[in-house]
Amino acid sequence: MRRMTARPANTHQARLLRLLRDGGPNSRAQLGDQVDLSRSKLAVEVDRLLETGLVVADGLAASRGGRRSHNIRLAPGLRFLGVDIGATSIDVAVTNAELEILGHITHPMDVREGPVAVFEQVLAMAAKLRASGFADGFDGAGIGVPGPVRFPEGVPVAPPIMPGWDGYPVREVLSQELGCPVMVDNDVNLMALGEQHAGVARSAGDFLCVKIGTGIGCGIVVGGEVYRGTTGSAGDIGHIQVEPEGRPCACGNRGCLEAHFSGAALARDAEDAARDGRSPVLAERLHTQGALSAADVAAAAAAGDTAALDLIRSGGDHTGQVIASLVSFFNPGLVVIGGGVTGLGHTLLAAIRTQVYRQSLPLATGNLPIVLGELGPASGVIGGARLISDHLFSPA
Ligand SMILES: [Zn+2]
């Protein structure tokens, strides 16, 4: 099929496309109520969108008296690609225009193998999704990488856990390979966009999304939009100091949150607890597997292992300490906790909540839910699709 070539010509058309993306097929009358356009002006804009092929007529709408009209919807053949590159795995999914996932695959991959090897894998996964019949091409792709990104250019900047990626033109290279427009962002921002579109943050305008994976970062959403800061490093909370004379961190400082609690720190601590005899459960797992991860700590905690529970509580204390400061500063309506450690579940959440409610002022926390993300690994790929659709559903 013909790929998307047109872009909305003005902000009204852009608004209509986003409403159809977020709410699905709808009647002209109901769209008119939402965009606050006169009936004749709305008819003009909808007709122009129908001419571009971006929207199509779709069945008869429920009657509101008078002549019945057709529902309209986004072109059913539109396909977006969402790519979430993590430190240790890659997720690739294809969605329709309403950002519903049609096919999703995951592949283990170490981001330190560098951009050339990683994108070879990404392209192979995209090709596999095409071959499975989910898409015959892509209208756009949104990519997340686990480090800071200079957003307009789509280039990673000095990413601490991604040697070889500094300055690599991700957007340009992938756009050429995939033959469609590409947007690149930090993986944490993608998670925030995903939870905002289809997850626990659907009705939140101002919220924080803390992702605890191999590293730790925070997506900041203000008035419904991701806030990236002047150079794209907003929300890089993993290097906020939580222990003045604490552990050395990969960034060169001491006592950073990430050095005390992250997927990587937790794996190290779990192996220590296994070796020094504090945790028979972890020792058993280390013996059979040769290495431990956050998932092992989760399993040991679920089995009632005291050392594992202590590790989770201590990590939650440190994380909660940082989130408490963010809450005082930002006054969010919601805090979402996500990433690989969400398997630690309610023990982690309870420790974080205790710190935040203890340290922040009642006015800021009075109505503040602190919850786990709903979408798991789907949040990043849905966020990627949302990112590129926001770009394409903007006036050219
Ligand atoms: Zn650090």
Side-chain angles (χ1 to χ4, degrees):
M1 99 145 235
R2 195 167 56 89
R3 302 261 53 101
M4 176 177 168
T5 45
R7 295 272 294 275
N10 56 42
T11 52
H12 297 308
Q13 292 181 12
R15 181 94 200 285
L16 289 167
L17 293 175
R18 290 179 187 207
L19 283 170
L20 290 169
R21 175 194 67 187
D22 301 343
N26 211 336
S27 69
R28 288 177 187 237
Q30 268 165 351
L31 285 170
D33 293 348
Q34 293 177 71
V35 291
D36 201 24
L37 280 176
S38 73
R39 224 177 146 133
S40 56
K41 189 94 182 39
L42 176 77
V44 171
E45 301 299 355
V46 169
D47 286 344
R48 284 189 186 145
L49 284 173
L50 284 164
E51 281 163 26
T52 63
L54 286 170
V55 305
V56 297
D58 177 59
L60 284 175
S63 173
R64 281 177 148 197
R67 198 161 56 89
R68 291 184 70 193
S69 71
H70 281 281
N71 263 335
I72 56 169
R73 58 167 300 175
L74 290 168
L78 287 176
R79 292 291 179 269
F80 298 124
L81 191 69
V83 178
D84 188 9
I85 298 168
T88 57
S89 66
I90 301 174
D91 282 85
V92 178
V94 58
T95 76
N96 60 12
E98 287 84 15
L99 313 191
E100 291 159 343
I101 292 182
L102 305 176
H104 179 179
I105 41 184
T106 305
H107 199 273
M109 178 102 201
D110 189 333
V111 73
R112 288 172 300 187
E113 288 189 35
V116 174
V118 166
F119 289 132
E120 208 168 283
Q121 183 59 47
V122 167
L123 292 170
M125 293 164 81
K128 196 169 163 192
L129 287 167
R130 287 177 70 155
S132 312
F134 295 117
D136 52 10
F138 304 109
D139 296 285
I143 321 280
V145 297
V149 171
R150 208 159 57 225
F151 184 67
E153 299 95 331
V155 171
V157 185
I161 61 167
M162 301 164 65
W165 287 76
D166 188 19
Y168 188 83
V170 174
R171 181 179 184 179
E172 209 180 299
V173 169
L174 274 186
S175 172
Q176 223 156 59
E177 293 283 348
L178 290 166
C180 66
V182 168
M183 295 293 282
V184 185
D185 205 345
N186 184 287
D187 64 335
V188 182
N189 291 342
L190 249 57
M191 180 183 154
L193 283 169
E195 291 290 345
Q196 181 187 29
H197 184 82
V200 72
R202 269 187 305 270
S203 54
D206 304 289
F207 68 95
L208 297 174
C209 190
V210 179
K211 181 173 180 182
I212 311 172
T214 304
I216 297 189
C218 177
I220 306 164
V221 176
V222 188
E225 305 282 334
V226 170
Y227 176 78
R228 298 185 173 86
T230 304
T231 56
S233 72
D236 202 358
I237 63 170
H239 301 283
I240 291 178
Q241 197 179 51
V242 291
E243 295 281 353
E245 294 301 321
R247 298 176 182 176
C249 177
C251 73
N253 292 328
R254 292 190 86 85
C256 297
L257 174 59
E258 219 170 272
H260 286 271
F261 187 59
S262 60
L266 193 60
R268 271 198 312 273
D269 287 345
E271 288 175 11
D272 286 348
R275 290 203 185 91
D276 66 18
R278 269 178 295 147
S279 167
V281 182
L282 289 172
E284 171 74 38
R285 287 183 161 251
L286 181 61
H287 181 71
T288 27
Q289 297 167 194
L292 294 176
S293 70
D296 296 302
V297 179
D305 184 78
T306 320
L309 286 164
D310 284 346
L311 288 179
I312 298 171
R313 280 192 207 107
S314 149
D317 283 351
H318 282 126
T319 311
Q321 199 181 315
V322 169
I323 295 177
S325 303
L326 301 178
V327 165
S328 299
F329 178 75
F330 180 66
N331 190 17
L334 171 73
V335 176
V336 182
I337 311 289
V341 303
T342 42
L344 309 178
H346 289 274
T347 310
L348 175 67
L349 207 53
I352 291 175
R353 282 176 177 153
T354 304
Q355 284 297 328
V356 174
Y357 295 145
R358 186 185 292 155
Q359 291 183 33
S360 308
L361 293 172
L363 184 60
T365 56
N367 232 333
L368 176 67
I370 302 175
V371 299
L372 296 175
E374 262 178 9
L375 301 176
S379 64
V381 288
I382 294 175
R386 164 76 182 232
L387 178 73
I388 189 63
S389 69
D390 275 347
H391 172 70
L392 295 172
F393 295 167
S394 303

